Structures are given as C-alpha cells and as structure tokens.
Amino acid sequence: MIVTDTFLTSNPYSRPGTPLGEVMALIMHWTGKPMQPAQGVRAFFENRKTGADGYGSAHYIIDQGGAVLRCIPEAEVAYHCGVAVMDDEHRDPASWKFYTDWARAQFGESHCQTAPSIGPNLVTLGIEMCVVDFAGNFTVQTSDAAAELAADICTRHHLNPFSDVATHNMVCGYKDCPRLWVNHPELLGEFLANVASAKAKRG
Ligand SMILES: [Zn+2]
C-alpha cells in the first residue's frame, strides 16, 4: 500500500482545519461514480472551495488500481458522515432520527446533534473507495488496499475492526453508502475479517 499526500487547500467546505478529537470509528464510503479515478474525486473535493458544490470530503481516497491519496491529515476533520440538511429525507429510516441508534451508541448523543454541530465528523476518519459500476463493485486492488489502510488505522488509533469500522449507512441510515456492502452485508463481513487479519499480521 502506497499512500501519497496530496492535501486539499484549506477552505470552509472541504478542509475546515478543525482539530479531530479522539478517533472513535473509521467510516467507509463509495464514490458512487463508476470508473472515476481517485484524482477526479480529489479534484471534486478541491473545487468545493469555491462554495458552489456544498460540503464534503474524506481523509483518504483509494483508486481502482489500489493507490491511496491522503487529502486531509488525520489530525483534522473531514466532512464525510455528518447530516448537513435537517429535513425528513435525511432521517434514519429505522429510528426516524438524525443519525442511527448505532451512531448514538458508538459516539454518544453529544456527537449526534443536529445543526450547527458537524456531528460524528469530529470523531471519525473517512475513506472513499473508487468503484467500477453502479452496483458499487470494487476492484480487488481497491479492496485489498482498503483492508491494509483500515488495519493500519485500527492499529494506530486502537480500533476494533469488527466494532469500530463501519459504513456511512450505519452512521446516517438514509444513504446507501457503500452501496455494495449495504446490499450485501456478507461482503462487509468479509472485508472486516480481512481488516482483522491484516491487523493481526501487523502485531
Ligand atoms: Zn458515504
């Protein structure tokens, strides 16, 4: 796994410079755009500095070839799993709250408040995984690099792969992100097992 630092320009929309607190979970995402390369995703985050495209970013983006871009230092907040708009479309369908019961249990009520809080972004790292199709399939290279990176993050931040690595869907409820793992929970299970195995090899 090769990580390339290519930090976003500091700006209110994608790299606010807010210090990240204790890392309480690692949140996995899909980019949602078939065959869009990591550099394209990064450019989209960078261009948000104009203010024309709203808020959003992630600490890492993993390419279809397995290359990893680091867009935001781990000590800073990225905007990847907060609920920005407080309307019914952004409620968790199961609890009809903003943020899921899982998020409340994991982060505490204080990190699951509505605006102007930025919520779980204050205590999580985010990884965007590039995809090959609208079903959300990943290449083997992307999956393998994601497992390695997640294992590295779990080791450094003392996270349990099975309880502290989660999907965006598990935090917000309304988003099918990453789509493949929302529709196929068994594949999420396989991924978490791969993270645990990679973490075990690191000792
Ligand atoms: Zn997401």
Side-chain angles (χ1 to χ4, degrees), residues 148-180:
E148 278 295 321
L149 177 58
D152 174 49
I153 288 171
C154 285
T155 302
R156 288 186 289 104
H157 294 280
H158 309 290
L159 300 178
N160 178 330
F162 293 109
S163 57
D164 303 327
V165 178
T167 62
H168 189 180
N169 174 266
M170 287 166 66
V171 175
C172 294
Y174 72 91
K175 269 214 158 183
D176 66 338
C177 175
R179 181 174 286 171
L180 184 75

Coordinates of all heavy atoms in Angstrom, one line a residue, residues 148-180:
E148 N -5.8 -3.0 4.0 CA -4.4 -2.6 4.6 C -4.5 -1.3 5.3 O -4.0 -1.1 6.4 CB -3.4 -2.6 3.5 CG -2.8 -3.9 3.0 CD -2.0 -4.6 4.1 OE1 -1.3 -3.9 4.9 OE2 -2.2 -5.8 4.3
L149 N -5.1 -0.3 4.6 CA -5.2 1.0 5.2 C -6.0 1.0 6.5 O -5.7 1.6 7.5 CB -5.8 2.0 4.2 CG -6.0 3.4 4.7 CD1 -4.7 4.1 5.2 CD2 -6.6 4.3 3.6
A150 N -7.1 0.3 6.5 CA -8.0 0.2 7.6 C -7.3 -0.5 8.8 O -7.4 -0.1 9.9 CB -9.3 -0.5 7.3
A151 N -6.5 -1.5 8.5 CA -5.7 -2.2 9.5 C -4.7 -1.3 10.1 O -4.5 -1.3 11.4 CB -5.1 -3.5 8.9
D152 N -4.1 -0.5 9.3 CA -3.1 0.5 9.8 C -3.7 1.5 10.7 O -3.2 1.8 11.8 CB -2.4 1.2 8.6 CG -1.5 2.3 9.0 OD1 -0.6 2.1 9.8 OD2 -1.6 3.4 8.4
I153 N -4.9 2.0 10.3 CA -5.6 3.0 11.1 C -6.1 2.4 12.4 O -6.0 3.0 13.5 CB -6.8 3.6 10.3 CG1 -6.3 4.5 9.2 CG2 -7.8 4.3 11.2 CD1 -7.3 5.0 8.2
C154 N -6.6 1.1 12.3 CA -7.1 0.5 13.6 C -5.9 0.3 14.5 O -6.1 0.4 15.8 CB -7.7 -0.9 13.2 SG -9.3 -0.8 12.5
T155 N -4.8 -0.1 14.0 CA -3.6 -0.3 14.9 C -3.2 1.0 15.6 O -3.0 1.1 16.8 CB -2.4 -0.8 14.1 OG1 -2.8 -2.0 13.4 CG2 -1.2 -1.1 14.9
R156 N -3.1 2.1 14.8 CA -2.6 3.4 15.3 C -3.6 4.0 16.3 O -3.2 4.7 17.2 CB -2.2 4.3 14.2 CG -0.9 3.9 13.5 CD -0.4 4.8 12.4 NE -1.3 4.9 11.2 CZ -2.1 5.8 11.0 NH1 -2.3 6.9 11.8 NH2 -2.9 5.8 9.9
H157 N -4.9 3.8 16.0 CA -5.9 4.5 16.8 C -6.6 3.5 17.8 O -7.7 3.9 18.4 CB -6.9 5.2 15.9 CG -6.3 6.3 15.1 ND1 -6.1 7.6 15.7 CD2 -5.9 6.4 13.8 CE1 -5.6 8.4 14.7 NE2 -5.4 7.7 13.6
H158 N -6.1 2.3 17.9 CA -6.7 1.4 18.9 C -8.1 1.1 18.6 O -9.0 1.2 19.5 CB -6.4 1.8 20.3 CG -5.0 2.2 20.6 ND1 -4.0 1.3 20.6 CD2 -4.4 3.4 20.7 CE1 -2.8 1.9 20.8 NE2 -3.0 3.2 20.9
L159 N -8.5 0.8 17.3 CA -9.9 0.5 17.0 C -10.0 -1.0 16.7 O -9.1 -1.7 16.3 CB -10.3 1.2 15.7 CG -10.2 2.8 15.7 CD1 -10.6 3.3 14.4 CD2 -11.1 3.3 16.8
N160 N -11.2 -1.5 17.0 CA -11.5 -2.9 16.8 C -12.2 -3.0 15.4 O -13.2 -2.4 15.1 CB -12.5 -3.4 17.9 CG -12.9 -4.8 17.7 OD1 -13.0 -5.3 16.5 ND2 -13.2 -5.5 18.8
P161 N -11.5 -3.8 14.5 CA -12.1 -3.9 13.1 C -13.6 -4.3 13.1 O -14.3 -3.8 12.2 CB -11.2 -4.9 12.4 CG -9.9 -4.9 13.2 CD -10.3 -4.6 14.6
F162 N -14.0 -5.1 14.0 CA -15.4 -5.6 13.9 C -16.4 -4.7 14.6 O -17.6 -4.7 14.3 CB -15.5 -7.0 14.6 CG -14.7 -8.0 13.8 CD1 -13.5 -8.6 14.3 CD2 -15.2 -8.4 12.6 CE1 -12.8 -9.5 13.6 CE2 -14.5 -9.4 11.8 CZ -13.3 -9.9 12.3
S163 N -16.0 -3.8 15.5 CA -17.0 -2.9 16.1 C -16.7 -1.4 15.8 O -17.6 -0.6 16.0 CB -16.9 -3.1 17.6 OG -15.7 -2.9 18.1
D164 N -15.6 -1.1 15.3 CA -15.2 0.3 15.1 C -15.0 0.7 13.6 O -14.7 1.9 13.4 CB -14.0 0.7 15.9 CG -14.2 0.4 17.4 OD1 -15.3 0.5 17.9 OD2 -13.1 0.1 18.0
V165 N -15.1 -0.2 12.7 CA -15.0 0.1 11.3 C -16.4 -0.1 10.8 O -17.0 -1.2 11.0 CB -14.0 -0.8 10.5 CG1 -14.1 -0.5 9.0 CG2 -12.6 -0.7 11.1
A166 N -17.0 1.0 10.2 CA -18.4 1.0 9.9 C -18.6 1.6 8.5 O -17.7 2.2 7.9 CB -19.2 1.8 10.9
T167 N -19.9 1.5 8.0 CA -20.2 2.1 6.8 C -20.9 3.5 7.1 O -21.4 3.7 8.2 CB -21.2 1.2 6.0 OG1 -22.4 1.1 6.8 CG2 -20.7 -0.1 5.7
H168 N -20.9 4.3 6.1 CA -21.6 5.6 6.1 C -23.1 5.3 6.5 O -23.7 6.0 7.3 CB -21.5 6.3 4.8 CG -22.0 7.7 4.7 ND1 -21.9 8.4 3.6 CD2 -22.5 8.5 5.7 CE1 -22.4 9.6 3.8 NE2 -22.8 9.7 5.0
N169 N -23.6 4.3 5.9 CA -25.0 3.9 6.1 C -25.3 3.6 7.6 O -26.4 3.9 8.1 CB -25.4 2.6 5.3 CG -26.7 2.1 5.6 OD1 -26.9 1.2 6.4 ND2 -27.8 2.7 5.0
M170 N -24.3 3.0 8.3 CA -24.5 2.6 9.7 C -24.6 3.9 10.6 O -25.1 3.9 11.7 CB -23.4 1.7 10.2 CG -23.5 0.3 9.6 SD -22.0 -0.6 9.8 CE -21.9 -0.8 11.6
V171 N -24.0 5.0 10.1 CA -24.0 6.3 10.8 C -25.3 7.1 10.6 O -25.9 7.6 11.5 CB -22.8 7.1 10.5 CG1 -22.8 8.5 11.2 CG2 -21.5 6.3 10.8
C172 N -25.6 7.2 9.3 CA -26.7 8.1 8.9 C -28.0 7.4 8.6 O -29.1 7.9 8.8 CB -26.3 8.9 7.6 SG -25.0 10.0 8.0
G173 N -28.0 6.2 8.1 CA -29.2 5.4 7.8 C -29.8 5.6 6.5 O -30.3 4.7 5.8
Y174 N -29.8 6.9 6.0 CA -30.6 7.2 4.8 C -29.7 7.0 3.5 O -30.3 7.0 2.4 CB -31.1 8.7 4.8 CG -30.0 9.7 4.7 CD1 -29.6 10.2 3.4 CD2 -29.3 10.2 5.8 CE1 -28.6 11.1 3.3 CE2 -28.3 11.1 5.7 CZ -28.0 11.6 4.4 OH -27.0 12.6 4.3
K175 N -28.4 6.8 3.7 CA -27.5 6.7 2.5 C -27.1 5.3 2.2 O -26.7 4.6 3.1 CB -26.3 7.6 2.7 CG -26.4 9.0 2.3 CD -25.0 9.5 1.8 CE -25.3 10.7 0.9 NZ -24.0 11.2 0.3
D176 N -27.2 4.9 1.0 CA -26.8 3.5 0.6 C -25.3 3.6 0.3 O -24.9 3.4 -0.9 CB -27.6 2.9 -0.5 CG -27.5 3.6 -1.8 OD1 -27.1 4.8 -1.8 OD2 -27.8 2.9 -2.8
C177 N -24.5 3.8 1.3 CA -23.0 4.0 1.1 C -22.3 3.2 2.1 O -22.5 3.3 3.3 CB -22.7 5.5 1.3 SG -21.0 5.9 1.2
P178 N -21.3 2.4 1.6 CA -21.1 2.0 0.2 C -22.2 1.0 -0.3 O -22.5 0.1 0.4 CB -19.7 1.2 0.3 CG -19.2 1.5 1.7 CD -20.4 1.8 2.5
R179 N -22.7 1.3 -1.4 CA -23.9 0.5 -1.9 C -23.7 -1.0 -1.9 O -24.6 -1.7 -1.5 CB -24.2 1.0 -3.3 CG -25.5 0.3 -3.9 CD -25.9 0.9 -5.2 NE -26.5 2.2 -5.1 CZ -26.8 3.0 -6.1 NH1 -26.5 2.6 -7.3 NH2 -27.4 4.2 -5.9
L180 N -22.5 -1.4 -2.3 CA -22.3 -2.9 -2.4 C -22.5 -3.6 -1.1 O -23.1 -4.6 -0.9 CB -20.9 -3.2 -2.9 CG -20.6 -4.6 -3.2 CD1 -21.3 -5.2 -4.4 CD2 -19.1 -4.9 -3.3

